[in-house]
Amino acid sequence: MRKSLHVVLVLAVLNILVCGSVQAQQAVARSLVNGKAVTLFDNGTWTYESSDQQRCRSLGPGISFCGASDIWKNTTSASPDAAATFRYDDRHYAMVVVEALGAADGVTQEYMRSAVVENAATGGDVSLESVVVIGIESYEGFAYPSETVIYSMEVNGLDAIYANTIVTKLNQTFQLITFAVGSQYTQQHRQLNDDFVKSFELD
């Protein structure tokens, strides 16, 4: 039940991408160059790691997860479009989407807000009217335009709540998404979402 529920919820949210054909760059290895730690990515690129990043796990160029692994347990991704997926418990999950499109390409918060809702409907195979936007909250924790879109929908007969924090940089867009089984955005989900988003360091 746990795996199937997780897969159902992840698959429903995987269409929350700017462009379905853009695949996330994933970190595949770490190495040393001139005595300095570097992260190697699946597209053949690499970046030096800062001392802070060495205590964190790089998910792609410009983003590292620094959260506690005993809180957010890494899970197997259901799609190459997700840079990482996580599980808190049987009701709460999270994922990260990294895209090489940003403000320089015309990606705005308004565009992403609409894309998130429209693609959630497509991913969940429900009508657009079935996706209920509960709220949009600005997020001040990053040095880039950021906001969280909170919405609910039914996925294969299950009520699900999503909190999608969208961060738009000049040449990248990040989606830090938590989702839970249920029909209400609970205080626990809000606290878990806050902890999850605060677990990231962006270059």
Side-chain angles (χ1 to χ4, degrees):
M1 172 73 173
R2 179 181 303 159
K3 183 175 181 184
S4 62
L5 175 59
H6 177 246
V7 170
V8 166
L9 292 174
V10 168
L11 290 176
V13 80
L14 279 175
N15 281 321
I16 306 172
L17 305 175
V18 174
C19 176
S21 62
V22 175
Q23 291 193 357
Q25 295 174 341
Q26 295 185 348
V28 294
R30 294 179 70 222
S31 188
L32 293 176
V33 173
N34 297 328
K36 295 182 181 177
V38 296
T39 301
L40 308 173
F41 300 102
D42 62 357
N43 68 350
T45 63
W46 60 274
T47 59
Y48 282 107
E49 294 181 358
S50 69
S51 58
D52 284 343
Q53 285 176 315
Q54 291 178 36
R55 65 175 174 79
C56 303
R57 182 169 68 98
S58 177
L59 301 181
I63 184 169
S64 296
F65 179 73
C66 305
S69 60
D70 60 336
I71 295 174
W72 293 105
K73 298 163 190 70
N74 206 29
T75 62
T76 303
S77 177
S79 166
D81 291 320
T85 57
F86 302 87
R87 174 184 175 274
Y88 174 77
D89 62 18
D90 287 343
R91 300 188 71 84
H92 300 89
Y93 304 89
M95 67 182 288
V96 179
V97 176
V98 180
E99 298 174 286
L101 297 172
D105 303 294
V107 176
T108 64
Q109 290 292 307
E110 293 78 15
Y111 172 82
M112 287 301 298
R113 194 181 302 148
S114 295
V116 162
V117 174
E118 291 172 12
N119 290 319
T122 301
D125 196 25
V126 299
S127 68
L128 185 58
E129 296 76 25
S130 298
V131 180
V132 178
V133 176
I134 297 168
I136 299 170
E137 302 174 356
S138 62
Y139 183 76
E140 307 298 330
F142 298 120
Y144 309 99
S146 310
E147 68 181 17
T148 302
V149 180
I150 304 154
Y151 58 94
S152 66
M153 57 190 259
E154 187 178 288
V155 180
N156 291 347
L158 291 173
D159 290 326
I161 298 283
Y162 297 85
N164 185 331
T165 301
I166 304 161
V167 185
T168 308
K169 294 175 60 175
L170 188 62
N171 295 303
Q172 286 180 299
T173 300
F174 303 118
Q175 294 183 59
L176 313 176
I177 309 162
T178 59
F179 41 104
V181 176
S183 59
Q184 302 292 320
Y185 188 45
T186 65
Q187 185 62 28
Q188 182 186 23
H189 187 175
R190 182 179 290 276
Q191 290 171 344
L192 287 170
N193 185 69
D194 187 54
D195 174 76
F196 185 69
V197 174
K198 286 180 178 176
S199 296
F200 290 89
E201 290 184 3
L202 307 182
D203 296 343

